[in-house]
Amino acid sequence: MSETNDTSDTSDHVDATLRDAAETAIRQCMNLHAGESCAIITDDKRRPIGEALYEVASEVTDDVTIVRYPPGTQHGEEPPEPVAAAMRNTDVFLAPTTKSLSHTRARGNANDAGARGATLPGITEEVMLVGLDADYRAIKQHCDDVLAQVEDADEIRVTTPEGTDITFTPGDREWFADTGMVHEPGQFSNLPAGEVFVSPEDVNGTYVVDGTMMPYGLLTDGQQLRFEVEDGYVTSISDDEVREQVETAAEEVGQDAYNLAELGIGTNVGVDELVGSVLLDEKAAGTVHIAIGDDAGIGGDTDAPLHLDGILKEPTVYADGEEIELPKP
């Protein structure tokens, strides 16, 4: 890990093409003010993005720090304690990292302590340019529209032409809107943003990922990953590579690794095609994503060392039997 408050070795190397995206993140999404403290959390593979955010933040406030550490090995893995402390002891944090910090206790504890923050897991320069070239006030409105259609439903059903037919029971779990507008203490978002999501109490059915999922990225034409779900747990995974990821996590936490963790609905109308980045593609308007593993950071009660999202194209979503209107690019 490295930490510095000196801009002299960063600004000369910042890619000018990232400045507009960094401006959107710092000024519009985070609404950073002079006098606030800001921590940029990054790793060795995402250094240019971290430095672009650092440069813009340093033009807003003098109290800005950049913390860099070696990339983690798994999404949801806890960062080193000095990194967690930097997130916790600041007003604003942004975390462009190779592996996601979204579903970590470090992120949750930072928000609980009053820091407002955004994670940018797996972000690339291409994704940053595409995903943050957007009007986040408009994205918030799309989130509000979708949320109004689903938040009071007892049952959500998703179908797709590729064979998905799965039913989610939110129960008492809260729906959340990831709008990208992080202006109040304790608020949190992914960036790029744009989704409405819930960690359901119960799930049954089949879903078929035909968009994006790690370790593959964007699936090839005809490639499909099929999952069977019963009583809230994945019982069958058609793909060997994905199954191995879940089995590895199960060696540590048992059945919790198979938890059906999340249903998300993309609302970012600025994303008009999938590019192979889970961070960006799960936000694409008109898509649905379903995740396995950890949900403790999004309203659930399962603590697992992975959170695997799979993006479904061309979904139809029903709330208590009524088809909802999805935003379109």
Side-chain angles (χ1 to χ4, degrees), residues 1 41-42 67-69 79-88 101 106:
M1 184 196 77
I41 310 298
T42 192
V67 179
R68 193 175 85 244
Y69 68 106
E81 174 52 32
V83 174
M87 297 169 69
R88 194 167 57 242
L101 297 180

Side-chain angles (χ1 to χ4, degrees), residues 6-208:
D6 181 6
T7 61
S8 62
D9 66 343
T10 63
S11 58
D12 289 343
H13 298 90
V14 168
D15 186 339
T17 62
L18 294 176
R19 275 203 57 93
D20 287 347
E23 291 271 358
T24 298
I26 294 293
R27 299 181 187 275
Q28 186 183 68
C29 295
M30 306 309 300
N31 196 31
L32 182 65
H33 292 304
E36 289 189 306
S37 57
C38 179
I40 307 300
I41 310 298
T42 192
D43 61 41
D44 298 338
K45 292 185 177 179
R46 298 295 181 264
R47 180 174 180 172
I49 293 171
E51 289 175 350
L53 293 167
Y54 179 85
E55 180 180 278
V56 174
S58 68
E59 294 169 1
V60 178
T61 178
D62 292 332
D63 191 355
V64 58
T65 298
I66 186 166
V67 179
R68 193 175 85 244
Y69 68 106
T73 59
Q74 175 66 271
H75 295 296
E77 179 183 357
E78 294 297 324
E81 174 52 32
V83 174
M87 297 169 69
R88 194 167 57 242
N89 297 314
T90 191
D91 294 316
V92 176
F93 68 85
L94 293 99
T97 54
T98 304
K99 300 298 183 181
S100 176
L101 297 180
S102 302
H103 302 275
T104 61
R105 304 296 83 74
R107 193 278 301 167
N109 291 339
N111 290 141
D112 289 344
R116 65 184 190 273
T119 55
L120 298 82
I123 193 165
T124 64
E125 294 179 30
E126 176 190 9
V127 168
M128 188 169 178
L129 293 172
V130 173
L132 286 168
D133 182 18
D135 181 353
Y136 275 90
R137 295 178 183 86
I139 290 171
K140 182 181 184 303
Q141 185 59 58
H142 288 299
C143 286
D144 292 345
D145 291 344
V146 170
L147 190 61
Q149 297 179 78
V150 299
E151 63 180 341
D152 293 326
D154 294 324
E155 182 179 280
I156 304 292
R157 181 185 175 208
V158 178
T159 64
T160 68
E162 302 303 326
T164 295
D165 193 343
I166 189 167
T167 301
F168 302 81
T169 304
D172 293 330
R173 302 277 178 82
E174 182 181 357
W175 284 88
F176 296 96
D178 182 26
T179 67
M181 302 291 276
V182 190
H183 294 181
E184 301 297 329
Q187 285 187 331
F188 167 70
S189 179
N190 268 159
L191 289 178
E195 67 170 293
V196 171
F197 61 94
V198 68
S199 174
E201 288 188 357
D202 193 25
V203 189
N204 290 277
T206 301
Y207 70 99
V208 181

